[in-house]
Amino acid sequence: MKNMWVFCQKEILELIRSYKLAWIPVVFIILGVMQPLVTYYMPEILKASGNVPPGLLEAYEMPSAAATMTQAIGQYGTMGLLVLVLAAMNSLSGERYSGTAELVLVRPVSIVSIVFAKWFAQLILLILCLGLGVAAAAYYTEQLIGGLSWKFVISAAGLYGLWLLCIQSLTLLFSSFLRGPVAAFMSLIAAAGLSLFHTLLPNVFDWTPARLPAYSAGVLAEGSNKLGATYAGSLVSAGVLIIFCIVGASLATGRKKLAS
């Protein structure tokens, strides 16, 4: 347990030294703030663009605060996800190909502790980035468009964050036996595949983590945490996927140790 905490401190310190705890939260804040600002100033943007069809500005209706917040959180599934995957892609592969992993693994340390520490550091990064980004988006939405229930905002952010954590965990798994760029590519492909399968066969894949973004939007749209019977299934499947990724990454790293 002591070794695990030491490794966690090391990984968090590495996030600080690489400035990931500085620039990635800034990216999330900018992404979150953009949606309420663009929504509020859309009539002026259309007016300034020129050649606006007659009656378009008069027919424009300001979206509700909940709809704006849903769109703001949804942006983290594209650019936000890409940034997180790129930040995590060298978690294990970078140390493996630089030779740092061999120096650590020759000591009597637990491989699970090393892998968990890297996963924990990515979790801290996600909580900080998503927390600041959602808080900024909610603040500007309340100031410009309308009131929000912070209870539902936090619930929606938590559900969406769990989906992002699943993809971060997959990146960690792929990073244990692939090079960083390939691991990032495979993680993005996996995320796109899960989302595509859920879109094409929603009744079949309702229990998967890919359903979590829809649950997140439902919390804000309906103003309720009652999301249906498959809600628990998505949470359980997300937890199983995360545990599988941590265990799989540990086994893959252990095989590299035996091979060396």
mmCIF file of all heavy atoms in Angstrom, residues 14-32 76 79-90 122 125-126 128-130 132-133 168:
data_model
loop_
_atom_site.group_PDB
_atom_site.id
_atom_site.type_symbol
_atom_site.label_atom_id
_atom_site.label_comp_id
_atom_site.label_asym_id
_atom_site.label_seq_id
_atom_site.Cartn_x
_atom_site.Cartn_y
_atom_site.Cartn_z
ATOM 1 N N GLU A 14 4.485 13.987 -12.080
ATOM 2 C CA GLU A 14 4.803 13.983 -13.506
ATOM 3 C C GLU A 14 3.782 14.798 -14.300
ATOM 4 O O GLU A 14 4.138 15.496 -15.251
ATOM 5 C CB GLU A 14 4.836 12.537 -14.024
ATOM 6 C CG GLU A 14 5.136 12.402 -15.499
ATOM 7 C CD GLU A 14 6.510 12.947 -15.879
ATOM 8 O OE1 GLU A 14 7.414 12.919 -15.035
ATOM 9 O OE2 GLU A 14 6.663 13.404 -17.032
ATOM 10 N N LEU A 15 2.510 14.723 -13.906
ATOM 11 C CA LEU A 15 1.494 15.554 -14.552
ATOM 12 C C LEU A 15 1.781 17.041 -14.352
ATOM 13 O O LEU A 15 1.555 17.854 -15.252
ATOM 14 C CB LEU A 15 0.103 15.213 -13.997
ATOM 15 C CG LEU A 15 -0.500 13.857 -14.368
ATOM 16 C CD1 LEU A 15 -1.850 13.687 -13.688
ATOM 17 C CD2 LEU A 15 -0.649 13.721 -15.880
ATOM 18 N N ILE A 16 2.257 17.374 -13.166
ATOM 19 C CA ILE A 16 2.579 18.776 -12.875
ATOM 20 C C ILE A 16 3.790 19.226 -13.681
ATOM 21 O O ILE A 16 3.796 20.311 -14.278
ATOM 22 C CB ILE A 16 2.829 18.965 -11.366
ATOM 23 C CG1 ILE A 16 1.558 18.658 -10.566
ATOM 24 C CG2 ILE A 16 3.301 20.388 -11.076
ATOM 25 C CD1 ILE A 16 1.757 18.676 -9.067
ATOM 26 N N ARG A 17 4.825 18.393 -13.727
ATOM 27 C CA ARG A 17 6.061 18.763 -14.438
ATOM 28 C C ARG A 17 5.835 18.878 -15.941
ATOM 29 O O ARG A 17 6.501 19.676 -16.609
ATOM 30 C CB ARG A 17 7.142 17.724 -14.147
ATOM 31 C CG ARG A 17 7.716 17.801 -12.744
ATOM 32 C CD ARG A 17 8.710 16.688 -12.497
ATOM 33 N NE ARG A 17 9.374 16.827 -11.199
ATOM 34 C CZ ARG A 17 10.191 15.933 -10.674
ATOM 35 N NH1 ARG A 17 10.442 14.793 -11.331
ATOM 36 N NH2 ARG A 17 10.750 16.133 -9.493
ATOM 37 N N SER A 18 4.934 18.063 -16.479
ATOM 38 C CA SER A 18 4.652 18.117 -17.915
ATOM 39 C C SER A 18 3.600 19.165 -18.262
ATOM 40 O O SER A 18 3.211 19.274 -19.424
ATOM 41 C CB SER A 18 4.177 16.741 -18.398
ATOM 42 O OG SER A 18 2.969 16.359 -17.734
ATOM 43 N N TYR A 19 3.136 19.906 -17.254
ATOM 44 C CA TYR A 19 2.147 20.985 -17.410
ATOM 45 C C TYR A 19 0.777 20.480 -17.883
ATOM 46 O O TYR A 19 -0.046 21.273 -18.339
ATOM 47 C CB TYR A 19 2.655 22.055 -18.387
ATOM 48 C CG TYR A 19 3.934 22.716 -17.937
ATOM 49 C CD1 TYR A 19 5.147 22.374 -18.525
ATOM 50 C CD2 TYR A 19 3.928 23.654 -16.914
ATOM 51 C CE1 TYR A 19 6.333 22.963 -18.105
ATOM 52 C CE2 TYR A 19 5.120 24.257 -16.482
ATOM 53 C CZ TYR A 19 6.312 23.906 -17.079
ATOM 54 O OH TYR A 19 7.484 24.476 -16.666
ATOM 55 N N LYS A 20 0.540 19.177 -17.781
ATOM 56 C CA LYS A 20 -0.766 18.661 -18.178
ATOM 57 C C LYS A 20 -1.865 19.122 -17.225
ATOM 58 O O LYS A 20 -3.019 19.278 -17.638
ATOM 59 C CB LYS A 20 -0.732 17.125 -18.226
ATOM 60 C CG LYS A 20 0.105 16.568 -19.367
ATOM 61 C CD LYS A 20 0.122 15.054 -19.360
ATOM 62 C CE LYS A 20 0.987 14.506 -20.490
ATOM 63 N NZ LYS A 20 1.052 13.021 -20.466
ATOM 64 N N LEU A 21 -1.510 19.336 -15.955
ATOM 65 C CA LEU A 21 -2.485 19.838 -14.996
ATOM 66 C C LEU A 21 -2.748 21.325 -15.179
ATOM 67 O O LEU A 21 -3.582 21.898 -14.457
ATOM 68 C CB LEU A 21 -2.016 19.571 -13.562
ATOM 69 C CG LEU A 21 -2.162 18.139 -13.052
ATOM 70 C CD1 LEU A 21 -1.694 18.031 -11.612
ATOM 71 C CD2 LEU A 21 -3.602 17.659 -13.158
ATOM 72 N N ALA A 22 -2.044 21.945 -16.126
ATOM 73 C CA ALA A 22 -2.248 23.370 -16.394
ATOM 74 C C ALA A 22 -2.997 23.590 -17.702
ATOM 75 O O ALA A 22 -4.058 24.218 -17.727
ATOM 76 C CB ALA A 22 -0.908 24.097 -16.427
ATOM 77 N N TRP A 23 -2.471 23.037 -18.809
ATOM 78 C CA TRP A 23 -3.056 23.369 -20.103
ATOM 79 C C TRP A 23 -4.298 22.559 -20.440
ATOM 80 O O TRP A 23 -5.203 23.060 -21.135
ATOM 81 C CB TRP A 23 -2.015 23.252 -21.221
ATOM 82 C CG TRP A 23 -1.547 21.862 -21.537
ATOM 83 C CD1 TRP A 23 -0.465 21.216 -21.036
ATOM 84 C CD2 TRP A 23 -2.136 20.949 -22.480
ATOM 85 N NE1 TRP A 23 -0.340 19.956 -21.570
ATOM 86 C CE2 TRP A 23 -1.341 19.779 -22.472
ATOM 87 C CE3 TRP A 23 -3.247 21.015 -23.327
ATOM 88 C CZ2 TRP A 23 -1.635 18.673 -23.274
ATOM 89 C CZ3 TRP A 23 -3.543 19.922 -24.137
ATOM 90 C CH2 TRP A 23 -2.739 18.761 -24.102
ATOM 91 N N ILE A 24 -4.389 21.317 -19.969
ATOM 92 C CA ILE A 24 -5.577 20.520 -20.292
ATOM 93 C C ILE A 24 -6.832 21.084 -19.606
ATOM 94 O O ILE A 24 -7.885 21.186 -20.239
ATOM 95 C CB ILE A 24 -5.355 19.037 -19.938
ATOM 96 C CG1 ILE A 24 -4.223 18.456 -20.799
ATOM 97 C CG2 ILE A 24 -6.629 18.225 -20.156
ATOM 98 C CD1 ILE A 24 -3.927 16.999 -20.541
ATOM 99 N N PRO A 25 -6.789 21.472 -18.313
ATOM 100 C CA PRO A 25 -7.968 22.135 -17.737
ATOM 101 C C PRO A 25 -8.354 23.415 -18.475
ATOM 102 O O PRO A 25 -9.550 23.723 -18.605
ATOM 103 C CB PRO A 25 -7.530 22.434 -16.297
ATOM 104 C CG PRO A 25 -6.518 21.397 -15.986
ATOM 105 C CD PRO A 25 -5.780 21.181 -17.272
ATOM 106 N N VAL A 26 -7.365 24.163 -18.983
ATOM 107 C CA VAL A 26 -7.670 25.378 -19.748
ATOM 108 C C VAL A 26 -8.448 25.020 -21.014
ATOM 109 O O VAL A 26 -9.415 25.710 -21.379
ATOM 110 C CB VAL A 26 -6.372 26.135 -20.098
ATOM 111 C CG1 VAL A 26 -6.655 27.269 -21.070
ATOM 112 C CG2 VAL A 26 -5.722 26.678 -18.837
ATOM 113 N N VAL A 27 -8.045 23.945 -21.679
ATOM 114 C CA VAL A 27 -8.768 23.496 -22.876
ATOM 115 C C VAL A 27 -10.210 23.144 -22.531
ATOM 116 O O VAL A 27 -11.148 23.525 -23.249
ATOM 117 C CB VAL A 27 -8.049 22.292 -23.520
ATOM 118 C CG1 VAL A 27 -8.902 21.697 -24.638
ATOM 119 C CG2 VAL A 27 -6.693 22.697 -24.056
ATOM 120 N N PHE A 28 -10.410 22.438 -21.426
ATOM 121 C CA PHE A 28 -11.766 22.052 -21.020
ATOM 122 C C PHE A 28 -12.597 23.276 -20.646
ATOM 123 O O PHE A 28 -13.797 23.321 -20.939
ATOM 124 C CB PHE A 28 -11.701 21.068 -19.851
ATOM 125 C CG PHE A 28 -11.621 19.633 -20.275
ATOM 126 C CD1 PHE A 28 -10.512 19.151 -20.949
ATOM 127 C CD2 PHE A 28 -12.659 18.755 -20.011
ATOM 128 C CE1 PHE A 28 -10.437 17.833 -21.353
ATOM 129 C CE2 PHE A 28 -12.604 17.427 -20.410
ATOM 130 C CZ PHE A 28 -11.481 16.970 -21.085
ATOM 131 N N ILE A 29 -11.996 24.247 -20.002
ATOM 132 C CA ILE A 29 -12.728 25.463 -19.646
ATOM 133 C C ILE A 29 -13.154 26.211 -20.907
ATOM 134 O O ILE A 29 -14.299 26.679 -21.017
ATOM 135 C CB ILE A 29 -11.864 26.363 -18.748
ATOM 136 C CG1 ILE A 29 -11.687 25.711 -17.372
ATOM 137 C CG2 ILE A 29 -12.495 27.745 -18.588
ATOM 138 C CD1 ILE A 29 -10.710 26.436 -16.467
ATOM 139 N N ILE A 30 -12.253 26.315 -21.876
ATOM 140 C CA ILE A 30 -12.588 27.004 -23.126
ATOM 141 C C ILE A 30 -13.711 26.278 -23.861
ATOM 142 O O ILE A 30 -14.661 26.905 -24.359
ATOM 143 C CB ILE A 30 -11.336 27.117 -24.021
ATOM 144 C CG1 ILE A 30 -10.313 28.047 -23.372
ATOM 145 C CG2 ILE A 30 -11.706 27.615 -25.418
ATOM 146 C CD1 ILE A 30 -8.988 28.110 -24.112
ATOM 147 N N LEU A 31 -13.628 24.938 -23.926
ATOM 148 C CA LEU A 31 -14.678 24.168 -24.576
ATOM 149 C C LEU A 31 -16.020 24.357 -23.871
ATOM 150 O O LEU A 31 -17.072 24.466 -24.522
ATOM 151 C CB LEU A 31 -14.302 22.678 -24.595
ATOM 152 C CG LEU A 31 -13.165 22.263 -25.527
ATOM 153 C CD1 LEU A 31 -12.830 20.793 -25.315
ATOM 154 C CD2 LEU A 31 -13.535 22.515 -26.974
ATOM 155 N N GLY A 32 -15.993 24.394 -22.540
ATOM 156 C CA GLY A 32 -17.240 24.548 -21.800
ATOM 157 C C GLY A 32 -17.855 25.915 -21.954
ATOM 158 O O GLY A 32 -19.077 26.055 -22.075
ATOM 159 N N TYR A 76 -17.288 17.502 -24.739
ATOM 160 C CA TYR A 76 -16.151 16.784 -24.167
ATOM 161 C C TYR A 76 -16.030 15.370 -24.732
ATOM 162 O O TYR A 76 -15.018 14.700 -24.501
ATOM 163 C CB TYR A 76 -16.279 16.731 -22.649
ATOM 164 C CG TYR A 76 -16.238 18.096 -22.011
ATOM 165 C CD1 TYR A 76 -17.186 18.487 -21.075
ATOM 166 C CD2 TYR A 76 -15.261 19.015 -22.365
ATOM 167 C CE1 TYR A 76 -17.154 19.749 -20.493
ATOM 168 C CE2 TYR A 76 -15.226 20.277 -21.794
ATOM 169 C CZ TYR A 76 -16.171 20.634 -20.863
ATOM 170 O OH TYR A 76 -16.133 21.890 -20.309
ATOM 171 N N MET A 79 -13.530 16.767 -28.737
ATOM 172 C CA MET A 79 -12.226 17.379 -28.492
ATOM 173 C C MET A 79 -11.681 17.037 -27.111
ATOM 174 O O MET A 79 -10.490 16.769 -26.952
ATOM 175 C CB MET A 79 -12.347 18.898 -28.652
ATOM 176 C CG MET A 79 -12.527 19.357 -30.088
ATOM 177 S SD MET A 79 -11.148 18.855 -31.147
ATOM 178 C CE MET A 79 -9.783 19.701 -30.356
ATOM 179 N N GLY A 80 -12.561 17.024 -26.112
ATOM 180 C CA GLY A 80 -12.114 16.694 -24.760
ATOM 181 C C GLY A 80 -11.578 15.280 -24.677
ATOM 182 O O GLY A 80 -10.532 15.025 -24.056
ATOM 183 N N LEU A 81 -12.299 14.344 -25.307
ATOM 184 C CA LEU A 81 -11.859 12.948 -25.309
ATOM 185 C C LEU A 81 -10.526 12.802 -26.026
ATOM 186 O O LEU A 81 -9.634 12.075 -25.564
ATOM 187 C CB LEU A 81 -12.929 12.080 -25.978
ATOM 188 C CG LEU A 81 -12.604 10.593 -26.120
ATOM 189 C CD1 LEU A 81 -12.411 9.957 -24.759
ATOM 190 C CD2 LEU A 81 -13.704 9.877 -26.895
ATOM 191 N N LEU A 82 -10.375 13.505 -27.142
ATOM 192 C CA LEU A 82 -9.122 13.434 -27.888
ATOM 193 C C LEU A 82 -7.950 13.922 -27.045
ATOM 194 O O LEU A 82 -6.882 13.294 -27.019
ATOM 195 C CB LEU A 82 -9.244 14.275 -29.163
ATOM 196 C CG LEU A 82 -7.982 14.362 -30.032
ATOM 197 C CD1 LEU A 82 -7.563 12.985 -30.530
ATOM 198 C CD2 LEU A 82 -8.213 15.303 -31.212
ATOM 199 N N VAL A 83 -8.128 15.018 -26.334
ATOM 200 C CA VAL A 83 -7.062 15.564 -25.495
ATOM 201 C C VAL A 83 -6.696 14.582 -24.380
ATOM 202 O O VAL A 83 -5.516 14.351 -24.101
ATOM 203 C CB VAL A 83 -7.487 16.920 -24.904
ATOM 204 C CG1 VAL A 83 -6.488 17.392 -23.849
ATOM 205 C CG2 VAL A 83 -7.595 17.971 -26.007
ATOM 206 N N LEU A 84 -7.692 13.987 -23.742
ATOM 207 C CA LEU A 84 -7.430 13.044 -22.654
ATOM 208 C C LEU A 84 -6.706 11.797 -23.150
ATOM 209 O O LEU A 84 -5.792 11.285 -22.481
ATOM 210 C CB LEU A 84 -8.752 12.654 -21.979
ATOM 211 C CG LEU A 84 -9.437 13.737 -21.147
ATOM 212 C CD1 LEU A 84 -10.800 13.259 -20.674
ATOM 213 C CD2 LEU A 84 -8.575 14.142 -19.953
ATOM 214 N N VAL A 85 -7.102 11.309 -24.320
ATOM 215 C CA VAL A 85 -6.458 10.118 -24.882
ATOM 216 C C VAL A 85 -5.009 10.408 -25.242
ATOM 217 O O VAL A 85 -4.109 9.609 -24.960
ATOM 218 C CB VAL A 85 -7.242 9.624 -26.112
ATOM 219 C CG1 VAL A 85 -6.434 8.586 -26.888
ATOM 220 C CG2 VAL A 85 -8.570 9.011 -25.676
ATOM 221 N N LEU A 86 -4.771 11.572 -25.838
ATOM 222 C CA LEU A 86 -3.397 11.937 -26.181
ATOM 223 C C LEU A 86 -2.535 12.112 -24.928
ATOM 224 O O LEU A 86 -1.332 11.818 -24.947
ATOM 225 C CB LEU A 86 -3.394 13.233 -27.001
ATOM 226 C CG LEU A 86 -3.994 13.135 -28.408
ATOM 227 C CD1 LEU A 86 -3.990 14.498 -29.080
ATOM 228 C CD2 LEU A 86 -3.267 12.112 -29.261
ATOM 229 N N ALA A 87 -3.160 12.579 -23.853
ATOM 230 C CA ALA A 87 -2.412 12.749 -22.602
ATOM 231 C C ALA A 87 -2.074 11.417 -21.956
ATOM 232 O O ALA A 87 -1.081 11.313 -21.223
ATOM 233 C CB ALA A 87 -3.221 13.611 -21.633
ATOM 234 N N ALA A 88 -2.880 10.390 -22.217
ATOM 235 C CA ALA A 88 -2.689 9.095 -21.550
ATOM 236 C C ALA A 88 -1.984 8.061 -22.412
ATOM 237 O O ALA A 88 -1.618 6.994 -21.904
ATOM 238 C CB ALA A 88 -4.052 8.531 -21.115
ATOM 239 N N MET A 89 -1.753 8.363 -23.681
ATOM 240 C CA MET A 89 -1.307 7.321 -24.609
ATOM 241 C C MET A 89 0.094 6.785 -24.279
ATOM 242 O O MET A 89 0.423 5.644 -24.602
ATOM 243 C CB MET A 89 -1.346 7.832 -26.053
ATOM 244 C CG MET A 89 -0.362 8.923 -26.355
ATOM 245 S SD MET A 89 -0.497 9.471 -28.084
ATOM 246 C CE MET A 89 0.894 10.614 -28.182
ATOM 247 N N ASN A 90 0.940 7.592 -23.649
ATOM 248 C CA ASN A 90 2.300 7.143 -23.314
ATOM 249 C C ASN A 90 2.455 6.746 -21.853
ATOM 250 O O ASN A 90 3.578 6.662 -21.350
ATOM 251 C CB ASN A 90 3.309 8.248 -23.653
ATOM 252 C CG ASN A 90 3.526 8.392 -25.144
ATOM 253 O OD1 ASN A 90 3.653 7.400 -25.857
ATOM 254 N ND2 ASN A 90 3.553 9.628 -25.617
ATOM 255 N N GLN A 122 -4.545 9.600 -14.069
ATOM 256 C CA GLN A 122 -5.464 9.996 -15.143
ATOM 257 C C GLN A 122 -6.844 10.334 -14.586
ATOM 258 O O GLN A 122 -7.530 11.228 -15.106
ATOM 259 C CB GLN A 122 -5.570 8.875 -16.181
ATOM 260 C CG GLN A 122 -4.281 8.592 -16.932
ATOM 261 C CD GLN A 122 -3.739 9.808 -17.659
ATOM 262 O OE1 GLN A 122 -4.496 10.544 -18.295
ATOM 263 N NE2 GLN A 122 -2.435 10.027 -17.576
ATOM 264 N N LEU A 125 -6.614 13.825 -13.209
ATOM 265 C CA LEU A 125 -6.622 14.764 -14.331
ATOM 266 C C LEU A 125 -8.033 14.948 -14.869
ATOM 267 O O LEU A 125 -8.469 16.078 -15.148
ATOM 268 C CB LEU A 125 -5.690 14.255 -15.422
ATOM 269 C CG LEU A 125 -5.602 15.104 -16.698
ATOM 270 C CD1 LEU A 125 -5.020 16.476 -16.390
ATOM 271 C CD2 LEU A 125 -4.768 14.388 -17.759
ATOM 272 N N LEU A 126 -8.775 13.861 -15.011
ATOM 273 C CA LEU A 126 -10.148 13.932 -15.519
ATOM 274 C C LEU A 126 -11.050 14.713 -14.585
ATOM 275 O O LEU A 126 -11.836 15.573 -15.030
ATOM 276 C CB LEU A 126 -10.689 12.508 -15.712
ATOM 277 C CG LEU A 126 -12.169 12.397 -16.089
ATOM 278 C CD1 LEU A 126 -12.458 13.083 -17.421
ATOM 279 C CD2 LEU A 126 -12.610 10.943 -16.118
ATOM 280 N N LEU A 128 -10.268 16.990 -12.385
ATOM 281 C CA LEU A 128 -9.915 18.410 -12.399
ATOM 282 C C LEU A 128 -10.398 19.090 -13.677
ATOM 283 O O LEU A 128 -11.029 20.164 -13.626
ATOM 284 C CB LEU A 128 -8.400 18.554 -12.266
ATOM 285 C CG LEU A 128 -7.859 19.992 -12.289
ATOM 286 C CD1 LEU A 128 -8.387 20.778 -11.096
ATOM 287 C CD2 LEU A 128 -6.334 19.994 -12.303
ATOM 288 N N CYS A 129 -10.120 18.484 -14.812
ATOM 289 C CA CYS A 129 -10.483 19.093 -16.094
ATOM 290 C C CYS A 129 -11.994 19.184 -16.261
ATOM 291 O O CYS A 129 -12.536 20.253 -16.600
ATOM 292 C CB CYS A 129 -9.892 18.283 -17.243
ATOM 293 S SG CYS A 129 -8.106 18.272 -17.301
ATOM 294 N N LEU A 130 -12.671 18.069 -16.052
ATOM 295 C CA LEU A 130 -14.115 18.055 -16.250
ATOM 296 C C LEU A 130 -14.816 18.920 -15.217
ATOM 297 O O LEU A 130 -15.789 19.623 -15.542
ATOM 298 C CB LEU A 130 -14.632 16.612 -16.176
ATOM 299 C CG LEU A 130 -16.091 16.393 -16.596
ATOM 300 C CD1 LEU A 130 -16.292 16.801 -18.041
ATOM 301 C CD2 LEU A 130 -16.493 14.930 -16.407
ATOM 302 N N LEU A 132 -13.668 21.670 -13.654
ATOM 303 C CA LEU A 132 -13.495 23.081 -13.981
ATOM 304 C C LEU A 132 -14.264 23.457 -15.244
ATOM 305 O O LEU A 132 -14.884 24.520 -15.320
ATOM 306 C CB LEU A 132 -12.011 23.407 -14.155
ATOM 307 C CG LEU A 132 -11.158 23.349 -12.881
ATOM 308 C CD1 LEU A 132 -9.693 23.587 -13.212
ATOM 309 C CD2 LEU A 132 -11.641 24.365 -11.855
ATOM 310 N N GLY A 133 -14.224 22.575 -16.243
ATOM 311 C CA GLY A 133 -14.919 22.860 -17.490
ATOM 312 C C GLY A 133 -16.421 22.947 -17.317
ATOM 313 O O GLY A 133 -17.074 23.880 -17.817
ATOM 314 N N GLN A 168 -10.260 6.417 -21.114
ATOM 315 C CA GLN A 168 -8.916 6.576 -20.554
ATOM 316 C C GLN A 168 -8.345 5.225 -20.115
ATOM 317 O O GLN A 168 -7.159 4.954 -20.312
ATOM 318 C CB GLN A 168 -8.956 7.519 -19.357
ATOM 319 C CG GLN A 168 -9.024 8.998 -19.697
ATOM 320 C CD GLN A 168 -8.990 9.855 -18.450
ATOM 321 O OE1 GLN A 168 -9.860 9.760 -17.595
ATOM 322 N NE2 GLN A 168 -7.979 10.695 -18.344
#
